[in-house]
Every structure is written in structure tokens, then in C-alpha cells.
């Protein structure tokens, strides 16, 4: 088909504004699937995604559309991950498009993620079609939303499409608008090949499958291709598209979106944002915007029973095939034994990986509190990144420490301004912007240390605003900061897995809160347990778990013996699940004690 | 010779107390003769299958309240036992009695038939505590029952007491202990009140209507029992049991030594040839099953060696003399010191256990935490 009839677009929205449902309806309306074949939200294909109602892995669908006048089109709908952890992936998916549908919930209006995602789309000059969804709801107020779009986002909203994805309202108008408003792709099929790699996943039968947008040139089955950032050469074995059913194609040319199978065995070789060119006729310039994604959040994953170490290692290796964005390396903790330090794009990503390890690989895990990466500048001018607070002790002649900052955007009803401001202040946030989206809704922006939000900021924000606030963030930079290492000692023994790096001004408070939280987590034992929080050699807090004084059953005669033995065996099994540090037994939950302090 | 004990369960009570989780049912006099017939049938079958070189060193009638049975039925049980089991000449023959169901006549009768040890459930000498405990006798009735037992000729008498009661104070516990000592029993059991699931007290406690003393206070009562009773010449020989020299309960020591016992009657447990089993609880079901099949076993458990080892220590460490190590090694064919090396080291270091070449026992500190210590040895 002539590329002037091709439309490449994404759907961007705040979570729960109806993106997946709308995508389903577009597929149905264009006949990509019969109704009976539709599983709800076909694009979210992992069990976990479906359960959490979020999109982790982008999927791309090619739809055939005939407009009212009978003109045929090919729509490539590129689904984007909906969470901030994956914002780089979002930006690359968007880069494969010429336009985007901006969905806004007709009852909720603009939210933090709406703004963040729109900014990504505008940065690369996508044509935006505003879509106001859920207009069937009684509290829908499309006119007010249009005003918001125009006033706040400076988007012409007069022609916004009003839809109810759930009820199937406005779907035809939307399809026509896509055909009319989104420009066709540019590019010259005769030029040297230059294709944007915007997604990849591992398939057990075919190896790695990559999704590409051909920006310039042509790709044919049998062509030798060269992945520029990965510096690897392969041969194209198969080309095609998903409708969502898989169809094979012989050729992809400028403007097309499709998949490539090229005998790639490792997902690590297919870097999101990389440029694929023809190995024999290379493009002189790779596409712009490629960057290495680095994990931002780190946590130690340890098998609860040491016997599962091998199992965990194999599971991580296999998981890596499906998810190249997390990293792992073996580490040893004096407290927890052998495990792995894993890096994630963000907290949600961490939770997804942890859940998949437990669910799909049946490894029982102990997770240490997540930490961000800190930058250490030594007196020699050397820069060292550390992903584990306990590594700080190995570094001499520290000149200063730096911590990562993010720009956080909060959108909330204006009555919560005070609450949000004090929460942000508590978290060392620096307000950079405050704007009214309408008389009732305000948007606040802060520069925040990532460390301050990584644990529970969003939960606290939600509860402080009765669930009304939305939050999103993007990384800014590393900034110099007065940081110290806070250690926990149990009966005088340092528990490395509980160490954390924290701002000097908060260390005393956090030390006290952590000791108190641990006191609640550690059960009474046969002897006293002293919990100390220390900064360097200085103890800043002490709590004591008193020794158990009495634990003895009064009677044990003939009829009691079996029951008594089983009771003790059951208690013993519970004890075995605890980690032994010195002579102190610590339940797994205690390693997340830092999450249970109220975090001021 | 293979020494065994016989436990006989009499599942009837005049009244079920709020804390009681034993297999007891309100007395139904019409059922009692059938119950005893079933009991005797079960005993006869067991005696036929018994090893030839066995001897019976104790018989213990527990309950429920054995004294709710009429004298002639209690007599029948003992007479039949003598006929079918090889009792040793000085066999300890105990029955439990409730002050409310004792009479001079019945106690004299029992002594005359050959019962030679009586265990009286007194629990407290404070009227208000007995009311809270849901007991149906008064302190005076308890004293009277004990006097009757002496008159009837019982020279081996035990009293049960309870501490950590809701309204108890150090003074009342002291008073109860003193009154018990004044009666000069040969044996005393002092039990820390335990709230067991399924009892009336359990429900009350859950609803906040029953509050027991704090652990620290409970420990004080326990320590007071030990202090006062040992001072009065009793030996503290098991966590909750005290005896004048030579008057330890022979029957219960069989349990704590993890020895073999028969168990007859509804809900009774037995331990024979490494196998623990238990009869069905409900007396009417028990009677029917014995009469139909000659067996009323509800559950059976065959212990693995490691479980049996744990159990042997769980029971043995309850006794202050502890566990005899050579016997243990002989029984389980293991080297005790190397098998438990780590645990022994850890517990000795913290002074919870006393370990000599041939005995392992709890220290005083270990005694208060007996269950925690024992758990360390469990599999």
C-alpha cells in the first residue's frame, strides 16, 4: 500500500483513563479480531499485566481501515507502557509514530501522567488528537475537559473526539479522525535502511522478536542487518506484522511498522532505540534519541532458604531473556548469605520482577529495602556509583556524595495544596512550579531527591489526598548532598542488609524510627535483643526486645503428647523461615522495616 | 521385663468446668454400665495380644471424674484388671477424684478394693477463685474430702492446684499453698492455667471478658510454688509436679520417660511399639464401636526416628532430673553429643541446660522457657 495511506500512532493516557479498552474497540471496529476472539484488553498479554490493569510490554497492531468514502488505510497502533518506570520505552515507541491519541477521562480530567506523556509526544512533534473518554458516566464534563486541554496543555480541543470505549461510542469518528488528521509517514524507500528498534521480546521458538519502524529504506527477508549501538550483524529470517494475529510479509519499507526475526539469541543485543541498518549498505547516521537505560532502583534479592540459590540464579537468567532492562549481579551479605543485587527501572518494575520470580519460578524471596544509586566523588576526582549502602564503607577519601534528583509532578484538587506542600517539604522537595488547571485543580512541580520518593512517597501522597492526587516523575540529575550511612546493629552485630544512606538532617529521626519499627518486627527470644541505630561509631537510637520470660506448657500427659509435639514442630517451622543473625532470629518482614517507619 | 502403665479414661463429670479441654461429658448414669462393659472388653482384647514378658506397674483412672461412677463399677474395673493383666505386687493404682463427687463411704470402698493412690482436684482454697474457675465445690468440701481420704486409709494422696487465675493475688496463692501444705499430701501438682481452644474460657478471653495475669506475674506464682513447696520438703521433679521422697507419680513418669502405656476408654491415648493411637472421644460411639468391632481407634501415628527422638526429649526434659543419655543413645542408636552438638553448645552457653556425661537437664532459667528450649531440639 502507498505509504500516504499509512497512519502510525500511539495512545497516551493517565492510568485508568481507558487506554486498553479503547485499543480493544479499535481492533474490533476494524475487524482485526472477531468479538468472540477478543479477550478483554488483548494488548495486555501477560497475566500480571491483566491483573494489575497496567501495560508493561508494548504491543503493536496493524489494522486495516476503510473510511466512509471507501479509501483503504493501514493503521499501525503502537501501544505504550503506561508507567513512569518505562518512560524511555514510551519515548521510543512514540518516536515510531506520526501522531498520538491523547485520552483524558471525562470525569477526572488532566492528571500527572497525562502531562508527562503529552510532553514526551510534543517533544518529537507528534500530531495530537485529543480524545475525551468515558462520556457515558453521569459525572462526565467534556466541556470542562476541553477548557483544561486548551488552557493548560495549549492543545486545540474544539475538535476533540468524545468517546465511551466501554459503550463503543465515538469509535467511528475516532477512526475517521486518525485517517484525516495524522500525517502519513515520510521517508524514502530507496535510501539506505534506517529502522528504529522500539520493542523486543524473547520468543521460545524464534528467539528475539524485534519491532521496528522503517524510517528510511527497505528491509527484505534474507537481508544482512547491522544493529548499530549493539554492533552486531544478523540476517533477516522473517518479517511480518500483528493484526493482532501474526502475518508474514516479504518486505517492510519506509513508513512501515512490523516485526523482525533474525536469529538473535539474547535480548541484551536488542537495545530499545537502536538503529538497524543494512550491513552492506549502511546509513551514515544512526537515528537520534538512543540512550542506554540504566536501572535506577536497586534491591538485594535473597533466597529464603540457601538451597534455592541455584534456582534463583537460573530464574534471573531466564527472566533476563524477557526483560533486558533489569540487571543482576551476585552479592554476599554477612546477614543474608548469598544473593543478588538487582537493578530496576523503578519501583513498579522491581515489584513486577519480584512477583514473576515468585510466581513463575517458585523462588521464595527475601527482598531488602530498595535504594537508589549514589554517586561518590573522591578527593582524586574519581567518580564511583554505588548501588548498595554497605559498599560505602569500602571507599576511602570521599570528597563528597551526590544523589539523584527527579522532577515530580503532582496534580490534585486545590484543597490539598497545603498537605502536598508539607509532604514535599518533608521529603526535601524544592517547588519549581504551581499552576491551576482549573479553579479546583492544581498542578505542582518539585525537584525531589529520588531517595525520598522511592519508598513510599506515592502511597503517602495518595492517602494524604484521599486518593485524588496523581503523581509522575522524570529524572533530572545528580546533586551534591550531605548524606550519611545509617547502620543497624543487633546485639552489637552490624546487619549489613539493613544499612541505608540518608540525608544528615534526617538520620537521627530515621534511626529512631527504624529501631522502633524493628522492635515491633522482631519477636521476643530466649534472650534480650538490643537494637541500635548508629551513624559511624555514634549510636543514635537504642531499643530493646526483652527476653521471653516464660514459655512452658503446664501439662503434658499421655493424651497431650502428639498435639504438643505437632504444635512445637509447627512453631519450629516458623522459626526456620527466619534469618539467623548471630544468635538473633529475624523475621523476613523486618528487612523491610525501613518501609514501615512513617518516613518523615 | 517390659514395664507398662495402663490408663483408663472415665469420661463423665457432674459438670464441665470452663477451662477444661479434656474429653469429659456430663454424667449419664444409664450409660455407665455399658461403658464399663465396653471398657472391659477392650482391656480383654489388649491383654490377649500383650507380650508374654510384660508387667503392669501402674493403673491410672483419669477423667472426667472417675468418682462419678458407682462403686461397684469401679470395683469391677479393678477386679477384671487384676484377672487379665500381670500387675506387679506394689502396682500404683490411682484414681482422680472431685471433692463434689467423693464420700467417705465411696473412698473407703475404693481403698478396700485395692485402689492405693488418690488425686484430688482441689485447684484453690479461695471460694471466689473456685467460682471463677467454674468449680462446683467449696474450699471446705475439698478439706473434708481430703480428710475422708485419710480416714479411708489412703496414704498416697495428691492435690491439684492452679495458679495464674483471674482474681488471684500473691496473698491468695500463698494462702492456698499454705492450706495445701497443712494437709500434708504426699504429692502436689501446681498447674499454670492454660486457655485451650474450644473451652468456654477461650471464648471469654477472646471477647475480652477474661483477663489472665501478665507473664511476669504468672512466672512469680510459678516461682513461689517452687520456693514454698521445696522448702516444705517436697521435691520438684517435673515442671508442675512435687512429691515427698519416693512419692512421685509412677504412672506419669512413664509418660515423661516416653514409655509404653495402654489407654482404654473413650478418647484414651496409648503408645505401644513406637505407635501412638487414640480412641474416639464420644462415649456412645466408643461403646458401639467396641461392642461391634472390638476397636474404637480414631487415629494412629507411626513415629519416624527423628520425631520420636524429639518427642523423647520434649517429655524427658520436663523432668528436673532430665534425660538419661546412654538410654537415649541405646534406644535410638545415635551419638547424642554429636547429633545435638550445635544445639547443646548454644543452649549451654546461654545457661539454659545442664549437661553432664550421662544426663541432660534444664537449668532453673531453662525451666521457665522449657518449650523454647525443647523446640531447639525438635526436627
Amino acid at each position: 500500500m502507498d505509504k500516504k495511506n499509512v497512519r502510525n500512532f500511539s495512545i497516551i493516557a493517565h492510568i485508568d483513563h481507558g487506554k486498553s479498552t479503547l485499543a480493544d474497540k479499535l481492533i474490533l471496529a476494524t475487524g482485526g479480531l472477531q468479538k468472540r476472539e477478543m479477550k478483554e484488553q488483548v494488548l495486555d498479554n501477560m497475566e500480571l499485566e491483566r491483573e494489575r490493569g497496567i501495560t508493561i510490554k508494548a504491543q503493536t497492531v496493524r489494522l486495516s481501515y476503510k473510511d466512509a468514502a471507501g479509501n483503504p488505510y493501514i493503521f499501525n497502533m503502537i501501544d505504550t507502557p503506561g508507567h513512569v518506570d518505562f518512560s524511555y520505552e514510551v519515548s521510543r515507541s512514540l518516536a515510531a509514530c506520526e501522531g498520538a491519541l491523547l485520552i483524558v477521562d471525562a470525569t477526572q480530567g488532566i492528571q500527572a501522567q497525562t502531562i508527562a506523556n503529552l510532553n514526551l509526544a510534543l517533544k518529537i512533534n507528534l500530531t495530537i488528537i485529543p480524545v475525551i473518554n468515558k462520556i457515558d458516566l453521569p459525572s462526565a464534563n467534556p466541556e470542562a475537559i476541553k477548557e483544561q486541554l486548551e488552557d493548560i496543555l495549549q492543545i486545540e480541543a474544539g475538535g476533540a473526539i468524545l468517546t465511551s470505549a466501554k459503550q463503543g461510542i465515538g469509535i467511528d469518528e475516532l477512526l475517521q479522525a486518525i485517517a484525516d488528521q495524522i500525517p502519513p509517514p515520510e521517508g524514502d524507500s530507496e535510501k539506505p535502511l534506517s529502522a528504529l528498534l522500539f520493542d523486543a521480546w524473547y520468543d521460545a521458538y524464534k528467539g528475539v522478536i524485534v519491532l521496528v519502524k522503517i524510517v528510511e529504506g527497505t528491509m527484505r527477508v534474507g537481508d544482512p542487518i547491522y544493529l548499530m549501538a549493539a554492533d552486531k550483524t544478523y540476517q533477516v529470517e522473517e518479517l511480518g506484522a500483528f493484526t493482532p494475529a501474526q502475518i508474514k510479509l516479504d518486505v517492510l519499507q519506509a513508513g512501515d511498522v512490523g516485526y523482525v526475526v533474525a536469529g538473535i539469541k539474547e535480548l541484551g543485543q536488542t537495545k530499545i532505540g537502536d538503529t538497524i541498518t543494512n550491513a552492506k549498505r549502511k546509513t551514515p547516521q544512526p537515528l537520534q534519541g538512543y540512550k542506554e537505560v540504566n536501572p535506577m532502583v536497586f534491591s538485594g534479592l535473597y533466597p529464603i532458604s540457601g538451597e534455592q540459590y541455584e534456582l534463583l540464579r537460573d530464574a534471573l537468567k531466564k527472566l533476563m531473556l524477557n526483560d533486558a532492562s533489569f540487571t543482576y549481579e551476585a552479592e554476599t551479605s554477612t546477614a543474608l548469605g548469598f544473593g543478588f543485587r538487582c537493578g530496576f527501572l523503578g519501583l513498579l518494575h522491581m515489584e513486577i520482577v519480584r512477583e514473576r520470580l515468585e510466581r513463575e519460578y517458585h523462588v521464595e524471596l527475601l527482598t531488602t529495602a530498595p535504594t537508589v544509586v549514589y554517586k561518590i566523588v573522591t578527593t582524586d576526582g574519581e567518580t564511583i556509583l554505588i548501588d548498595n549502602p554497605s559498599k560505602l564503607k569500602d571507599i576511602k577519601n570521599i570528597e563528597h556524595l551526590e544523589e539523584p534528583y527527579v522532577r515530580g509532578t503532582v496534580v490534585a484538587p486545590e484543597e490539598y495544596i497545603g498537605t502536598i506542600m508539607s509532604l514535599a517539604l518533608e521529603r526535601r522537595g524544592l517547588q519549581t512550579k504551581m499552576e491551576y488547571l482549573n479553579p479546583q485543580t492544581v498542578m505542582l512541580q518539585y525537584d525531589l531527591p529520588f531517595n525520598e520518593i522511592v519508598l513510599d512517597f506515592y502511597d503517602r501522597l495518595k492517602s494524604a489526598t484521599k486518593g485524588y492526587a496523581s503523581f509522575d516523575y522524570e529524572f533530572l540529575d545528580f546533586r551534591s548532598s550531605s548524606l550519611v550511612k545509617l547502620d543497624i546493629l543487633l546485639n552489637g552485630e552490624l546487619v549489613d542488609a539493613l544499612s541505608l544512606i540518608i540525608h544528615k538532617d534526617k538520620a537521627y529521626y530515621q534511626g529512631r524510627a527504624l529501631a522502633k519499627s524493628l522492635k515491633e518486627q522482631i519477636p521476643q527470644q530466649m534472650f534480650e535483643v538490643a537494637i541500635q541505630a548508629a551513624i559511624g561509631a555514634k549510636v543514635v537510637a537504642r531499643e530493646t526486645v526483652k527476653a521471653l520470660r516464660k514459655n512452658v506448657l503446664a501439662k503434658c500427659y499421655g493424651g497431650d503428647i502428639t498435639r504438643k509435639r505437632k504444635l512445637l514442630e509447627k512453631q519450629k517451622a516458623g522459626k526456620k523461615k527466619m534469618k539467623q543473625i548471630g544468635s538473633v532470629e529475624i523475621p523476613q518482614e523486618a528487612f523491610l522495616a525501613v518501609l514501615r517507619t512513617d518516613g518523615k | 521385663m517390659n514395664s507398662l502403665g495402663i490408663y483408663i479414661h472415665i469420661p463423665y463429670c457432674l459438670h464441665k468446668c470452663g477451662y477444661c479441654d479434656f474429653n469429659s461429658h456430663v454424667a449419664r448414669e444409664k450409660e455407665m454400665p455399658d461403658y464399663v462393659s465396653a471398657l472391659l472388653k477392650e482391656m480383654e482384647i489388649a491383654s490377649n495380644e500383650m507380650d508374654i514378658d510384660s508387667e503392669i506397674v501402674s493403673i491410672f483412672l483419669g477423667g472426667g471424674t472417675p468418682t462419678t461412677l458407682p462403686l461397684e463399677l469401679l470395683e469391677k474395673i479393678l477386679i477384671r484388671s487384676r484377672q487379665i493383666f500381670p500387675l506387679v505386687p506394689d502396682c500404683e493404682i490411682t484414681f482422680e477424684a472431685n471433692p463434689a463427687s467423693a464420700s467417705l463411704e465411696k473412698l473407703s470402698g475404693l481403698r478396700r478394693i485395692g485402689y492405693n493412690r488418690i488425686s484430688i482436684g482441689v485447684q484453690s482454697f479461695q471460694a471466689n477463685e473456685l467460682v471463677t474457675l467454674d468449680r462446683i465445690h467449696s474450699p471446705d468440701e475439698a478439706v473434708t474430702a481430703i480428710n475422708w481420704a485419710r480416714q479411708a486409709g489412703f496414704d498416697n494422696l495428691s492435690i491439684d492446684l492452679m495458679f495464674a487465675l483471674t482474681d488471684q493475688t500473691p496473698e491468695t496463692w500463698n494462702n492456698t499453698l499454705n492450706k495445701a501444705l497443712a494437709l500434708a499430701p504426699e504429692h502436689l501438682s501446681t498447674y499454670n492455667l492454660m486457655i485451650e481452644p474450644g473451652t468456654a474460657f477461650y471464648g471469654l478471653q477472646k471477647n475480652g471478658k477474661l483477663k489472665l495475669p501478665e507473664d511476669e506475674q504468672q512466672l512469680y506464682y510459678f516461682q513461689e510454688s517452687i520456693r514454698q513447696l521445696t522448702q516444705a520438703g517436697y521435691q520438684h521433679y517435673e515442671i508442675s509436679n512435687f512429691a515427698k521422697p519416693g512419692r512421685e507419680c509412677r504412672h506419669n513418669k512413664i509418660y515423661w520417660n516416653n514409655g509404653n502405656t495402654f489407654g482404654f476408654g473413650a478418647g484414651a491415648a496409648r503408645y505401644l511399639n513406637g505407635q501412638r493411637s487414640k480412641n474416639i472421644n464420644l462415649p456412645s460411639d466408643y461403646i458401639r464401636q467396641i461392642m461391634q468391632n472390638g476397636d474404637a481407634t480414631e487415629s494412629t501415628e507411626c513415629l519416624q526416628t527423628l520425631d520420636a527422638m524429639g518427642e523423647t526429649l520434649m517429655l524427658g526434659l520436663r523432668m528436673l532430673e532430665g534425660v538419661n543419655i546412654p538410654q537415649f543413645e541405646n534406644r535410638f542408636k545415635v551419638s547424642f553429643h554429636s547429633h545435638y552438638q550445635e544445639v547443646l553448645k548454644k543452649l549451654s552457653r546461654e545457661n539454659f541446660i545442664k549437661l553432664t556425661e550421662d544426663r541432660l537437664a534444664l537449668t532453673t532459667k531453662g525451666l521457665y522457657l522449657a518449650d523454647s528450649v525443647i523446640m531447639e531440639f525438635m526436627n
Side-chain angles (χ1 to χ4, degrees):
Chain A
M1 183 173 295
D2 192 323
K3 71 168 183 283
K4 77 177 198 311
N5 285 10
V6 172
R7 300 290 181 269
N8 299 317
F9 66 94
S10 277
I11 308 177
I12 54 183
H14 188 73
I15 188 163
D16 286 340
H17 281 196
K19 183 172 86 166
S20 297
T21 314
L22 190 73
D24 290 356
K25 286 294 153 68
L26 293 178
I27 295 171
L28 255 180
T30 53
L33 279 179
Q34 300 302 315
K35 201 158 190 173
R36 62 180 168 76
E37 299 171 298
M38 287 290 284
K39 279 193 238 159
E40 216 176 314
Q41 299 177 13
V42 284
L43 296 185
D44 297 349
N45 62 357
M46 284 166 74
E47 190 189 345
L48 212 60
E49 291 185 14
R50 208 177 282 275
E51 260 174 40
R52 291 174 168 247
I54 48 161
T55 312
I56 301 162
K57 209 92 198 102
Q59 292 275 297
T60 291
V61 186
R62 174 187 175 120
L63 305 171
S64 300
Y65 172 68
K66 261 199 184 101
D67 70 4
N71 303 312
Y73 290 88
I74 283 180
F75 286 176
N76 288 306
M77 178 166 71
I78 296 168
D79 198 19
T80 56
H83 192 274
V84 57
D85 283 4
F86 308 100
S87 66
Y88 174 69
E89 290 191 24
V90 178
S91 82
R92 292 306 84 200
S93 291
L94 292 177
C97 303
E98 282 75 46
L101 315 183
L102 175 70
I103 303 185
V104 182
D105 185 313
T107 66
Q108 292 188 4
I110 295 171
Q111 295 295 316
Q113 247 180 340
T114 320
I115 300 169
N117 282 329
L118 179 68
N119 285 338
L120 288 174
L122 290 178
K123 252 186 224 166
I124 48 174
N125 299 318
L126 295 191
T127 299
I128 305 295
I129 300 180
V131 179
I132 298 172
N133 192 29
K134 303 196 187 177
I135 55 153
D136 58 313
L137 295 183
S139 55
N141 189 352
E143 287 314 309
I145 307 296
K146 282 184 193 173
E147 261 177 53
Q148 273 194 359
L149 287 167
E150 297 195 339
D151 293 353
I152 310 307
L153 304 179
Q154 277 89 46
I155 289 183
E156 165 54 46
I161 314 288
L162 305 185
T163 63
S164 162
K166 212 168 150 198
Q167 307 286 345
I169 300 167
I171 302 301
D172 291 338
E173 292 89 321
L174 181 56
L175 287 166
Q176 189 65 52
I178 293 167
D180 294 346
Q181 295 178 32
I182 295 177
E186 294 172 355
D188 181 347
S189 301
E190 302 307 317
K191 280 194 175 169
L193 176 67
S194 157
L196 171 68
L197 190 168
F198 65 87
D199 194 11
W201 65 91
Y202 188 81
D203 179 279
Y205 299 101
K206 296 183 173 168
V208 177
I209 297 180
V210 300
L211 289 183
V212 297
K213 151 88 175 289
I214 311 289
V215 180
E216 301 283 357
T218 302
M219 192 188 287
R220 289 186 178 78
V221 175
D223 279 356
I225 50 170
Y226 175 63
L227 278 54
M228 299 179 82
D231 190 20
K232 295 274 174 189
T233 304
Y234 299 96
Q235 190 165 16
V236 177
E237 291 169 0
E238 187 181 321
L239 295 175
F242 298 95
T243 67
Q246 197 173 339
I247 53 163
K248 288 186 186 178
L249 299 168
D250 298 326
V251 57
L252 290 175
Q253 45 192 337
D256 282 347
V257 168
Y259 74 84
V260 182
V261 174
I264 305 170
K265 297 281 173 264
E266 282 174 52
L267 201 59
Q269 309 292 359
T270 55
K271 297 170 189 289
I272 304 299
D274 198 357
T275 303
I276 301 178
T277 188
N278 191 302
K280 292 203 181 121
R281 190 175 164 231
K282 290 182 186 165
T283 176
Q285 271 301 323
L287 297 164
Q288 283 184 355
Y290 170 77
K291 67 175 183 189
E292 285 274 348
V293 244
N294 291 315
M296 293 304 296
V297 177
F298 287 81
S299 167
L301 299 188
Y302 289 82
I304 284 167
S305 104
E307 295 140 30
Q308 285 202 326
Y309 178 79
E310 300 286 323
L311 184 64
L312 174 59
R313 197 184 53 195
D314 290 348
L316 288 168
K317 209 164 149 189
K318 279 186 202 146
L319 205 60
M320 196 84 164
L321 293 175
N322 285 305
D323 183 351
S325 50
F326 94 98
T327 61
Y328 70 92
E329 67 176 61
E331 77 171 0
T332 311
S333 153
T334 45
L336 303 177
F338 294 107
F340 297 91
R341 175 111 315 223
C342 300
F344 310 94
L345 298 177
L347 276 187
L348 177 76
H349 187 216
M350 168 172 135
E351 250 179 61
I352 289 165
V353 170
R354 203 179 55 78
E355 262 184 54
R356 288 189 66 188
L357 287 169
E358 294 197 326
R359 190 184 299 208
E360 295 169 29
Y361 299 94
H362 311 291
V363 190
E364 279 192 275
L365 287 175
L366 193 158
T367 320
T368 64
T371 169
V372 306
V373 180
Y374 292 95
K375 195 183 260 184
I376 298 166
V377 179
T378 66
T379 45
D380 314 333
E382 202 187 340
T383 302
I384 304 163
L385 291 172
I386 59 162
D387 56 19
N388 183 342
S390 67
K391 286 181 188 164
L392 194 60
K393 68 177 187 307
D394 305 327
I395 302 164
K396 304 284 170 255
N397 53 46
I398 295 172
E399 208 272 321
H400 71 271
L401 290 168
E402 293 179 7
E403 62 179 326
Y405 265 69
V406 299
R407 166 164 303 141
T409 304
V410 181
V411 174
E414 59 91 36
E415 59 191 287
Y416 297 112
I417 290 181
T419 316
I420 294 164
M421 282 180 160
S422 63
L423 176 62
L425 196 68
E426 212 175 75
R427 301 303 177 98
R428 298 189 281 135
L430 209 73
Q431 191 178 310
T432 55
K433 205 180 204 179
M434 178 164 110
E435 228 176 279
Y436 277 84
L437 303 189
N438 60 39
Q440 295 84 40
T441 313
V442 70
M443 181 198 77
L444 295 152
Q445 275 190 343
Y446 286 91
D447 286 4
L448 281 158
F450 189 37
N451 162 19
E452 295 284 346
I453 62 165
V454 77
L455 294 179
D456 62 346
F457 180 76
Y458 189 48
D459 290 341
R460 290 251 296 151
L461 181 68
K462 277 278 188 193
S463 66
T465 60
K466 301 203 168 68
Y468 282 115
S470 63
F471 176 67
D472 206 340
Y473 64 87
E474 59 181 314
F475 288 100
L476 288 175
D477 47 19
F478 277 86
R479 296 183 188 175
S480 179
S481 189
S482 303
L483 299 166
V484 291
K485 179 162 158 269
L486 180 67
D487 291 321
I488 293 292
L489 296 90
L490 295 179
N491 281 353
E493 218 165 308
L494 188 137
V495 186
D496 57 358
L498 285 170
S499 294
L500 51 107
I501 291 175
I502 187 162
H503 194 265
K504 182 168 80 28
D505 294 348
K506 295 189 143 194
Y508 282 84
Y509 178 86
Q510 183 69 31
R512 282 199 295 275
L514 192 52
K516 210 173 237 146
S517 168
L518 280 168
K519 183 185 173 173
E520 279 157 29
Q521 307 278 332
I522 297 175
Q524 281 194 308
Q525 328 224 336
M526 292 164 77
F527 36 80
E528 189 175 283
V529 179
I531 303 164
Q532 291 171 301
I535 300 166
K538 187 174 175 198
V539 174
V540 296
R542 184 191 157 108
E543 295 281 346
T544 307
V545 180
K546 284 205 180 136
L548 197 60
R549 289 286 279 145
K550 182 177 113 5
N551 180 27
V552 47
L553 202 72
K555 288 186 184 194
C556 193
Y557 298 118
D560 309 317
I561 295 169
T562 302
R563 198 173 43 143
K564 172 85 189 293
R565 194 194 79 236
K566 288 193 170 153
L567 189 75
L568 287 174
E569 280 172 355
K570 202 172 139 202
Q571 287 173 8
K572 176 89 180 206
K575 262 162 73 89
K576 277 185 182 165
K577 285 199 170 169
M578 297 199 209
K579 279 282 172 186
Q580 182 108 19
I581 291 174
S583 51
V584 184
E585 277 154 354
I586 308 181
Q588 296 149 36
E589 306 82 66
F591 290 97
L592 292 172
V594 61
L595 302 180
R596 291 194 187 77
T597 62
D598 57 6
K600 282 184 189 163
Chain B
M1 252 335 192
N2 184 11
S3 301
L4 291 107
I6 292 178
Y7 177 78
I8 297 171
H9 193 72
I10 308 298
Y12 303 113
C13 272
L14 292 178
H15 158 83
K16 177 117 181 163
C17 303
Y19 58 86
C20 172
D21 76 326
F22 288 111
N23 180 31
S24 66
H25 306 266
V26 172
R28 298 171 54 190
E29 279 164 38
K30 273 170 68 185
E31 194 182 59
M32 290 176 181
D34 292 342
Y35 183 77
V36 172
S37 302
L39 202 55
L40 298 185
K41 184 174 175 192
E42 191 190 15
M43 289 162 66
E44 278 157 21
I45 293 167
S47 75
N48 289 333
E49 293 167 356
M50 191 174 57
D51 286 344
I52 196 82
D53 62 342
S54 302
E55 58 178 17
I56 305 298
V57 296
S58 81
I59 297 177
F60 193 105
L61 267 75
T65 313
T67 44
T68 51
L69 286 190
L71 184 60
E72 57 276 19
L73 289 180
L74 289 167
E75 182 173 12
K76 233 178 170 177
I77 294 170
L78 186 52
I79 288 173
R80 196 71 187 124
S81 301
R82 286 216 176 91
Q83 289 167 350
I84 59 178
F85 287 111
L87 306 194
V88 297
D90 63 340
C91 185
E92 176 188 279
I93 305 170
T94 308
F95 66 97
E96 291 178 332
N98 184 310
S101 62
S103 65
L104 179 57
E105 190 194 350
K106 193 179 245 177
L107 296 182
S108 303
L110 287 166
R111 181 68 197 93
R112 200 169 51 241
I113 306 159
Y115 287 93
N116 56 26
R117 187 170 180 273
I118 179 170
S119 169
I120 303 181
V122 173
Q123 317 312 353
S124 168
F125 284 106
Q126 318 303 316
N128 64 325
E129 289 173 9
L130 287 172
V131 171
T132 342
L133 272 178
D134 197 17
R135 299 287 292 182
I136 51 169
H137 58 85
S138 67
D140 288 345
E141 282 174 303
V143 175
T144 308
I146 292 161
N147 289 334
W148 284 337
R150 290 303 194 198
Q151 280 180 47
F154 283 99
D155 63 358
N156 198 0
L157 181 146
S158 179
I159 294 178
D160 283 1
L161 298 176
M162 287 178 101
F163 62 86
L165 311 178
T166 308
D167 301 323
Q168 207 162 32
T169 65
E171 291 72 35
T172 62
W173 180 232
N174 193 38
N175 182 277
T176 292
L177 286 172
N178 284 331
K179 287 202 166 136
L181 288 173
L183 294 161
E186 282 69 34
H187 187 279
L188 270 155
S189 303
T190 63
Y191 296 115
N192 193 330
L193 173 64
M194 298 270 160
I195 308 293
E196 302 289 348
T199 61
F201 276 23
Y202 187 76
L204 289 176
Q205 192 184 38
K206 252 182 130 175
N207 297 330
K209 289 183 183 140
L210 177 73
K211 261 190 85 128
L212 299 190
E214 297 293 319
D215 266 9
E216 200 62 34
Q217 191 64 23
Q218 298 196 12
L219 184 62
Y220 169 81
Y221 292 134
F222 184 35
Q223 288 168 328
E224 263 316 279
S225 328
I226 299 170
R227 192 181 65 80
Q228 296 207 26
L229 299 181
T230 50
Q231 207 165 40
Y234 293 86
Q235 276 170 2
H236 184 204
Y237 74 100
E238 193 262 358
I239 286 168
S240 304
N241 286 283
F242 300 84
K244 291 274 182 182
R247 299 300 191 124
E248 292 105 343
C249 177
R250 202 189 285 175
H251 186 79
N252 287 336
K253 282 185 78 174
I254 297 177
Y255 292 131
W256 299 322
N257 282 313
N258 208 6
N260 289 332
T261 49
F262 285 113
F264 302 120
R270 56 190 162 271
Y271 184 47
L272 294 165
N273 309 318
Q275 191 170 302
R276 275 191 197 288
S277 51
K278 178 186 169 296
N279 282 342
I280 192 155
N281 276 341
L282 198 66
S284 54
D285 287 348
Y286 166 78
I287 296 167
R288 203 185 56 247
Q289 290 193 16
I290 290 288
M291 288 313 182
Q292 280 173 7
N293 321 317
D295 186 88
T297 306
E298 180 193 61
S299 59
T300 300
E301 185 188 26
C302 225
L303 288 180
Q304 305 295 311
T305 307
L306 281 176
D307 291 337
M309 283 163 65
E311 212 174 73
T312 301
L313 291 170
M314 170 183 98
L315 294 162
L317 287 174
R318 294 186 66 87
M319 293 182 292
L320 277 86
E321 65 174 26
V323 174
N324 180 308
I325 294 171
Q327 271 173 23
F328 185 96
E329 292 185 321
N330 193 35
R331 182 168 175 176
F332 296 110
K333 310 286 176 251
V334 290
S335 157
F336 187 85
H337 290 271
S338 62
H339 186 84
Y340 293 112
Q341 191 178 16
E342 289 295 311
V343 188
L344 292 172
K345 210 163 85 185
K346 178 173 152 191
L347 293 172
S348 306
R349 192 178 54 222
E350 302 287 342
N351 194 29
F352 289 112
I353 53 169
K354 291 183 284 230
L355 183 63
T356 58
E357 205 38 53
D358 62 352
R359 290 210 93 83
L360 169 71
L362 298 179
T363 58
T364 306
K365 186 179 166 195
L367 197 65
Y368 306 146
L369 292 172
D371 284 6
S372 301
V373 175
I374 287 165
M375 204 191 302
E376 296 288 323
F377 290 98
M378 301 295 274
N379 194 15

